[in-house]
Amino acid sequence: MRALDRTTWTLTWRLTRAGGRTGLLATGLAVAAAAVSTTLLLLCVAMNLGFQHRADRTDWRNPVKSSHPVAVQAVGTTFTGGEPVTVVDVAQLPGRTAPAPPGLDRFPAPGELWVSPALGALLERLPADRHPIPGTPTGTLGRAALAHPDELVALIGHRPGDPAVTAERAPDPRRIGDIASPTRVASFTGTPLTDGTGSMYELLARLATVLVIVPLLVLAASAARLSVSRRDQRLAALRLIGATPGRIAGLTAAEALLTGTAGALLGAVGYGLLLPVAASLPLAGGSWYMSDLWIGARPLLAVTAGVIALVVISALAGLRQVVVGPLGVARRSTSRKASAVRAVVFVTVVAAYGLITKKYGSADIVALYAFAALFLALAVIGPWVVRVLGRIVTALAKRPATLLAGRRLLDDPKAAWRIVSGLTLAGFVAGFFALLTLDEAPPWGGRPDQLAIAAPPGKVTQLRTQAEQRLHAAGVSAVVGVDDGFVAQGPYDESRQITATVSGGTAALDRARTALTGLTPDQYPLTTTDVNWSENRFTRDFTTITRVVLVVTFTVAITSAGITAAANVLDRRRTYALLHLAGTPLPVLDAARNRETLIPVTVLAGGAVTTGLLCGGSMMLAGGDSSFDTRGVIMLAVCCAIGAAGILAAGGLSRPLLRAVTRQAEARGE
């Protein structure tokens, strides 16, 4: 293509070098913005793919009934120290050849016990009377059988007639995926679970991705518009001396392509360096296999190419005035207007989000798309709000610094928006999570120190006596009783539960659990905390992910503000130099620059926080499993304080640069 021929590349390189130290600094800031965006975008993609990889490796524990079976598979869940232990019981049918389960190179023989590395290490540390499962490990399960390195999993081989693979088990709707009744299977591929906390994690990952990606896209797009005035002046001069529109577009694309490519490559390197750190983050029960967070060559190329394309498109989007009216650009008489259509778009998206959430609920994928559109709409309306603020501030200004700030907001609202956009979007995130907290209390009875086992009506007395004998033999002090609670559930139409209230803490509770394991072949003893283990873990992980998202969004916001503030000083250095030569004191220029940031960020971030509160509140009401928590309000206040301090710090870091450009003896055109 002629627009990107050798002449274009040569001229682009010379113009970049001719910009001097300030020009190279502006280019470096653009590269840094693209690099940060690429790294975090890749980590977001990695998290979503990581949860999917985990789910793919646990599908085999959800057996599928076959008309031509070769084996029997059952699944149960016991606990040790409050942590779940998945127990898979398998038996090969007579006269059949069963394939090896995942993580093994052969089918386990009757009596063999294969354990995950984490469970094997735990069994070595614990005394035998606290082992969650009986027997001596035969070997170690491979990675193909495990969701993550810290997972506790046991696989036990049986004979076809053993009670563990013949006794019916009652799946508990409160514990999706914890229990599978003996199923005759043809293979160990299983099927994905469509309910339970696994789907909640995937939804949370997508939601977190939306909340992180939108600010990153704004930052990546802003990277191409850093020092836009300097670039437009230079291109307008070239246009006036005869450069064709194609050549102007080629120069712009070439410069953006260079900065975007450099930033994307650095971001890809940063992603690789951060992989071990990301893999150590415990979510959904444990850390990650690094291979789960490696997205692969093609997705890596796709994300980096997308960032480069976004940078190039954003740079080309502002060329129309340079090509059509270069004289106005050269004379600095253009005014970048933000149309009121942006406000119409925002109101429309808000209304659509309300209708969609009401119709589909908060967990539907359509509602997630609507939420993403609403979040993106905040970025659309931002420049228009800044322009309106510019008019108001200019009309009401009583001080020189305020008047200068109002004129800058009015003349170039998009530039002002680029500084505050990150914090505005971060404010939405903080507001969204402020009201969205989860309730940890289970809706059923029981005590955390009381084990329960469901018993059929005709065996209550017999099983109670056996439980007392087992506990006495194990030296466990416990009060054994019978009640009609709902902690334990069995495959019976009518059943009562045998309870053992244990004194002595967690160690004694685990000894009692070990003693009572096998009392009935269809279930393991459990407490009310055990029943609610997956929801409790999700609640903790929800808090962790919330904090990670807030840290990332506010880090991006402050980084974006710092980069853009420095770039704006370089972009306007001729204006600042002229104002200073005309007698404007440096403190007035600095005050105007601060007000140019603080006024819109106060209004926009305040509006974004309000919008986030409304969205979080509507999702809380639609979900039904969350409640108001004053800790969310405290978190919101802390986030706002950190954001305001970050914006002021970002402005302070660029103050020496402002002092440097105003010290120039004369203002020279570029």
Side-chain angles (χ1 to χ4, degrees), residues 350-394:
V350 170
Y353 173 79
L355 293 174
I356 291 173
T357 304
K358 183 177 180 179
K359 180 178 180 180
Y360 293 98
S362 61
D364 194 273
I365 190 66
V366 178
L368 182 66
Y369 290 146
F371 177 78
L374 175 59
F375 196 30
L376 191 59
L378 285 171
V380 173
I381 196 177
W384 179 80
V385 175
V386 172
R387 184 173 178 82
V388 172
L389 285 175
R391 290 176 179 171
I392 296 174
V393 171
T394 302

Side-chain angles (χ1 to χ4, degrees), residues 227-240:
S227 296
V228 65
S229 178
R230 178 180 61 87
R231 181 189 306 157
D232 285 355
Q233 289 290 321
R234 188 175 60 197
L235 295 177
L238 292 173
R239 181 78 176 102
L240 288 172

